[in-house]
Amino acid sequence: MAFNTAPASADDPDFLAISAGVHDFHDNRTAVEGRLEYRSDIELYVFRPFTGFMITNDSAMYGYGGVFMDIFFGPRFVIQPSFAVGAYSKGSDVDLGHWIEFRSQLEFAWRFDDRSRLGLSVNHMSNATLSDTNPGIESVALTYAIPFDKIANKNLWE
């Protein structure tokens, strides 16, 4: 298997990614998490920008933006590390100590012929000691990333 960041990703489009998973899965405070992300096709060296929104059934919300990188192992398997910063509102969920939170994530995905992807991600959110309170949380989610042009052209089933 060859490690590659350029050729396979060079022709990849921008994506709308829809995720559902478990928020703070290692604790008794577990909640259901949903995310919606726009993953751009703009290349910034080996990185690409993205923005997103997360909400839980405990009314926690997180709006964020950051960068990701696609690492291809052959034409199908993609590992996608990402980093984001954003604004967090706890709702009735965990107090993470600050409204500014950082998220690091690792996604393992399978790339289909139409370039859509099905992936599993694990992420960590914390305020990086901006506050004395910094419990951090981890989430795991299943993600389906749809090429944005398929949505814009309404060709979802082609």
Side-chain angles (χ1 to χ4, degrees):
M1 258 186 211
F3 164 81
N4 200 337
T5 60
S9 65
D11 63 351
D12 258 0
D14 49 351
F15 293 94
L16 179 66
I18 302 164
S19 304
V22 182
H23 183 76
D24 201 13
F25 68 86
H26 74 286
D27 208 333
N28 292 331
R29 305 175 300 227
T30 300
V32 175
E33 172 179 307
R35 293 193 310 252
L36 190 62
E37 292 180 354
Y38 171 73
R39 299 176 179 177
S40 177
D41 60 350
I42 297 169
E43 293 185 14
L44 307 168
Y45 186 53
V46 296
F47 301 103
R48 292 182 175 188
F50 76 102
T51 186
F53 180 77
M54 180 272 298
I55 190 165
T56 73
N57 65 319
D58 287 337
S59 302
M61 293 182 278
Y62 181 55
Y64 52 93
V67 293
F68 69 91
M69 177 175 66
D70 286 334
I71 302 169
F72 288 85
F73 291 87
R76 300 284 180 199
F77 187 66
V78 185
I79 295 178
Q80 185 182 84
S82 65
F83 177 79
V85 62
Y88 176 77
S89 171
K90 71 178 186 105
S92 61
D93 202 0
V94 180
D95 181 3
L96 294 180
H98 206 280
W99 67 272
I100 297 174
E101 295 293 326
F102 301 92
R103 186 192 85 175
S104 54
Q105 178 171 285
L106 194 57
E107 183 173 294
F108 303 91
W110 184 259
R111 183 178 184 230
F112 297 100
D113 287 338
D114 68 354
R115 292 187 170 59
S116 63
R117 300 176 183 184
L118 183 62
L120 183 67
S121 64
V122 177
N123 71 53
H124 172 77
M125 261 177 47
S126 78
N127 65 45
T129 65
L130 290 176
S131 166
D132 291 336
T133 303
N134 186 24
I137 57 166
E138 286 75 33
S139 297
V140 62
L142 186 64
T143 299
Y144 184 62
I146 308 160
F148 202 77
D149 62 346
K150 291 190 81 141
I151 297 166
N153 296 330
K154 299 185 176 101
N155 293 328
L156 287 174
W157 310 115
E158 290 183 8

